[in-house]
Amino acid sequence: PDAHFMVDARNNGAKTVVFDPNYSPTAAKADEWVPISGSSDAAVGLGISKIIIDEKLYDEKFLRTFTDMPLLVRTDNGKRIKAEEVQGLAKPAGTPAYRESYVVYNGQFKAVNPEKLDTPLDTILEGEVNVPLKNGKTVKAKPVFQLLKESLQKYTPEVVEKESGIKNETLLRVARDMATIKPLHIVYGASNYQ
């Protein structure tokens, strides 16, 4: 039912790229069809993410302002650090009781109001910090972005090619296009939703 939106977009100058194991009716109408091995969608997405991050093609301000990427995660248990656990911090005023306030770091620890997304623009996205807890212990923590970056290390273009059948140069080109050509709209097919 949404096919007309793709045709309208193409008629308005959009470039369409379809990843599909089959030369489907949608692929036939795209500017580019990228054949992909079945069940390799996630590996391709992670490989594209790795390229975008490795080449620093992401929008740091967006990551700090609208995502959880700067929030600190404990390395001992993998949980985000709550403001009320950290020495000198509490939930910011105006935070609803049902919401948690998590912590970021920009040379000092800061509780983030989830209703305002008031994360400082100099908040770290990478590295590791020691966080002093109210119980007297200190724990190591990393921003979500750092953990994502570490988890993507195995999704090299060579590994993705082996799993998906997409050539290195195609994956690199598509990732760079996705990161630099704006606006971008990604429509994910039913197989992953199911």
Side-chain angles (χ1 to χ4, degrees), residues 3 6-7 10 16-36:
M6 185 176 125
V7 173
R10 283 202 57 216
T16 56
V17 179
V18 173
F19 293 80
D20 197 317
N22 305 306
Y23 190 66
S24 64
T26 305
K29 291 170 184 60
D31 294 300
E32 181 177 2
W33 169 52
V34 180
I36 184 174

Side-chain angles (χ1 to χ4, degrees), residues 5-73:
F5 291 119
M6 185 176 125
V7 173
D8 289 347
R10 283 202 57 216
N11 290 341
N12 289 324
K15 176 182 178 181
T16 56
V17 179
V18 173
F19 293 80
D20 197 317
N22 305 306
Y23 190 66
S24 64
T26 305
K29 291 170 184 60
D31 294 300
E32 181 177 2
W33 169 52
V34 180
I36 184 174
S37 299
S39 299
S40 65
D41 309 54
V44 171
L46 293 167
I48 288 170
S49 298
K50 177 179 175 17
I51 293 164
I52 291 170
I53 289 172
D54 286 351
E55 296 186 7
K56 298 190 181 295
L57 299 173
Y58 50 87
D59 181 342
E60 286 188 34
K61 182 178 178 184
F62 182 87
L63 292 180
R64 286 184 176 96
T65 307
F66 297 108
T67 75
D68 67 349
M69 294 295 171
L71 299 182
L72 296 177
V73 176

